[in-house]
Amino acid sequence: QKEVEQDPGPLSVPEGAIVSLNCTYSNSAFQYFMWYRQYSRKGPELLMYTYSSGNKEDGRFTAQVDKSSKYISLFIRDSQPSDSATYLCAMSADNQGGKLIFGQGTELSVKP
Amino acid sequence: NAGVMQNPRHLVRRRGQEARLRCSPMKGHSHVYWYRQLPEEGLKFMVYLQKENIIDESGMPKERFSAEFPKEGPSILRIQQVVRGDSAAYFCASSPGTVLEQYFGPGTRLTVT
């Protein structure tokens, strides 16, 4: 079993839709949670990060962490064609010295 | 503030040759991480370095791979005697010191022929 599971998609939605992206994990020691966006043949771009549980909002993006369920989510409101990319969740724990464990990534396509 | 820089962006090597990948972290960042992305796979951690020190190399293959981050100059990921299975995108990330803020470079795409 992988430490971090993420549905690879592809996920296709119409422009303006609310997108929900999710990851589950097995390591209860994870405390740091990040979401990255990666366009084709580019480097991952840090979107949001949270420490421990709770919600965090930044513009059209909201990140949620539910440690009791070992489940994290990224919501994108009013999705745009420019949001079409692969979204990667990443996690780490205090005893992992900065090493990020990534999900496989979900490919998102927002259709005009 | 320039982002993380990696060069070359594309590198072609024949089997048995050496590959050297360079990474210059963001200004003010003293922590460097290398990750590898194989086709159809996610990003996998390879090594974590601070200036002149390897902090964690648990993701590095035991043979042929090495990394350094000297006092002056970029971090180098070195792959000796490359094989076809080394073909991948190699990404460098830098951080000011917190695991939450790792910023990635554009990557080096290594092709072994």
Side-chain angles (χ1 to χ4, degrees):
Chain A
Q1 182 189 8
K2 293 181 180 177
E3 276 192 286
V4 180
E5 298 275 2
Q6 186 175 9
D7 186 339
L11 178 63
S12 182
V13 301
E15 184 175 354
I18 296 175
V19 176
S20 173
L21 302 164
N22 312 294
C23 289
T24 57
Y25 61 95
S26 57
N27 188 346
S28 57
F30 284 149
Q31 293 270 45
Y32 305 96
F33 304 94
M34 285 130 283
W35 285 97
Y36 285 84
R37 176 174 63 194
Q38 186 175 25
Y39 293 110
S40 180
R41 304 190 70 76
K42 303 288 186 185
E45 173 192 358
L46 180 61
L47 283 176
M48 299 185 73
Y49 55 83
T50 56
Y51 173 71
S52 195
S53 288
N55 296 356
K56 185 173 182 180
E57 187 173 321
D58 184 2
R60 296 186 296 112
F61 298 91
T62 299
Q64 288 186 352
V65 175
D66 182 349
K67 292 191 71 180
S68 62
S69 301
K70 297 191 181 71
Y71 187 89
I72 70 169
S73 300
L74 178 70
F75 297 96
I76 307 174
R77 291 182 297 281
D78 187 25
S79 57
Q80 303 295 310
S82 58
D83 294 327
S84 298
T86 296
Y87 289 79
L88 303 160
C89 63
M91 309 180 189
S92 190
D94 280 326
N95 63 356
Q96 293 191 327
K99 172 170 68 175
L100 295 182
I101 310 299
F102 280 85
Q104 188 178 351
T106 299
E107 183 182 347
L108 171 67
S109 177
V110 181
K111 304 293 186 184
Chain B
N1 190 6
V4 177
M5 298 176 68
Q6 289 187 251
N7 64 79
R9 296 291 305 276
H10 300 274
L11 183 61
V12 180
R13 285 287 178 266
R14 290 200 178 103
R15 279 179 298 170
Q17 291 184 321
E18 178 179 288
R20 279 185 182 239
L21 288 62
R22 287 177 289 279
C23 168
S24 296
M26 289 177 70
K27 188 176 181 180
H29 288 192
S30 58
H31 300 248
V32 166
Y33 310 80
W34 286 92
Y35 293 83
R36 176 165 65 174
Q37 190 170 41
L38 290 164
E40 307 305 321
E41 291 189 23
L43 280 156
K44 304 291 185 189
F45 168 83
M46 298 182 75
V47 63
Y48 164 33
L49 310 106
Q50 294 181 26
K51 285 284 187 182
E52 300 185 280
N53 285 302
I54 297 173
I55 307 301
D56 180 356
E57 55 182 348
S58 59
M60 289 274 272
K62 293 288 184 280
E63 297 177 352
R64 302 188 297 108
F65 285 72
S66 63
E68 62 176 6
F69 189 14
K71 187 177 180 181
E72 301 291 339
S75 175
I76 306 286
L77 179 67
R78 182 182 177 205
I79 312 172
Q80 295 178 290
Q81 299 175 317
V82 296
V83 301
R84 288 221 170 103
D86 297 332
S87 295
Y90 291 81
F91 292 97
C92 165
S94 75
S95 162
T98 167
V99 68
L100 286 170
E101 293 186 74
Q102 291 189 27
Y103 297 93
F104 282 75
T108 293
R109 280 167 177 78
L110 172 65
T111 302
V112 179
T113 61

